[in-house]
Amino acid sequence: MASVRRQKEALRAAAFAYLAGAHCVTEEVEKSLELADPKRGAQLVDSQREMLRADYKRVIESRPAIETFLDVLDEEELYPFGSEWPRDEIAQLIVYLVPPKLRLGDDSEPDLRFRFRKGFKKILAEFASTLESIARQHSTLDHWMALLLNTAFHAGVVAAAQSAENSKAYYAAIPEIEEETEPWSRYPQLLELLERQLRRETRRRTGLVTGLDF
């Protein structure tokens, strides 16, 4: 069984990466719409942006969209929950997250950090301490967080496309995202999660900490 610390980081990473994927593809759709029709009128621009905001809200709040995301995690049997990722718990965590806002025409420096509603840290700790997980061979532990971030981010992209009013525009924008090796790394908290986990694994191998610290 994975440690409480690993379970806590996995839950946080999954929720963050799912929403980051939805955020990323929605902004990419805005760029593609602008490139397709750079002379579009103000009324059309406003209409398209309202549609994108509604799409973004839907993928954040829609339980079917979240279920699509969790189906992917189960199918991939990702550590630490294998084929039984905690659905109700992750859905609740997402409710307590405030994802980055869509820029949509705003050329200012992007703020890609997540914020938290009151209670997020408490329920995250409660879930991590009560859920059951699977054990994993030590030889595969180095890469588990990167694999989870990649998979959850892509699942967020796909869930956003599937639930969008204009799915065709989303699927057309996905190849642009897939050209990046780690598109989720533009979101600083996701990169911090990976770097923190890698430091822990390195310290563990050097004997500076015990397995209980993970």
Side-chain angles (χ1 to χ4, degrees), residues 149-182:
L149 291 172
N150 280 322
T151 304
F153 182 89
H154 183 70
V157 169
V158 173
Q162 290 180 347
S163 62
E165 183 176 338
N166 181 6
S167 292
K168 184 177 179 180
Y170 279 74
Y171 285 113
I174 289 176
E176 190 71 25
I177 297 172
E178 292 179 338
E179 287 186 2
E180 294 185 48
T181 303
E182 295 177 338

Side-chain angles (χ1 to χ4, degrees), residues 63-186:
R63 185 59 186 259
I66 296 171
E67 290 290 336
T68 296
F69 151 56
L70 293 167
D71 285 343
V72 172
L73 298 186
D74 284 350
E75 289 168 7
E76 296 295 326
E77 297 187 351
L78 296 179
Y79 179 82
F81 298 107
S83 60
E84 297 183 359
W85 278 76
R87 292 172 179 260
D88 289 341
E89 288 82 356
I90 289 180
Q92 288 184 57
L93 286 173
I94 289 173
V95 169
Y96 280 85
L97 278 174
V98 181
K101 292 183 179 180
L102 297 172
R103 285 175 289 170
L104 302 186
D106 183 357
D107 295 327
S108 61
E109 186 70 21
D111 180 4
L112 299 179
R113 297 190 69 87
F114 292 83
R115 292 174 175 78
F116 317 96
R117 293 186 173 89
K118 184 177 180 181
F120 174 82
K121 292 183 178 180
K122 180 180 179 181
I123 64 169
L124 176 62
E126 289 176 353
F127 292 157
S129 63
T130 57
L131 292 169
E132 293 186 2
S133 58
I134 61 173
R136 192 70 177 259
Q137 293 181 351
H138 292 303
S139 61
T140 62
L141 284 175
D142 287 347
H143 308 292
W144 74 267
M145 177 64 79
L147 181 59
L148 174 56
L149 291 172
N150 280 322
T151 304
F153 182 89
H154 183 70
V157 169
V158 173
Q162 290 180 347
S163 62
E165 183 176 338
N166 181 6
S167 292
K168 184 177 179 180
Y170 279 74
Y171 285 113
I174 289 176
E176 190 71 25
I177 297 172
E178 292 179 338
E179 287 186 2
E180 294 185 48
T181 303
E182 295 177 338
W184 50 265
S185 64
R186 67 180 71 173

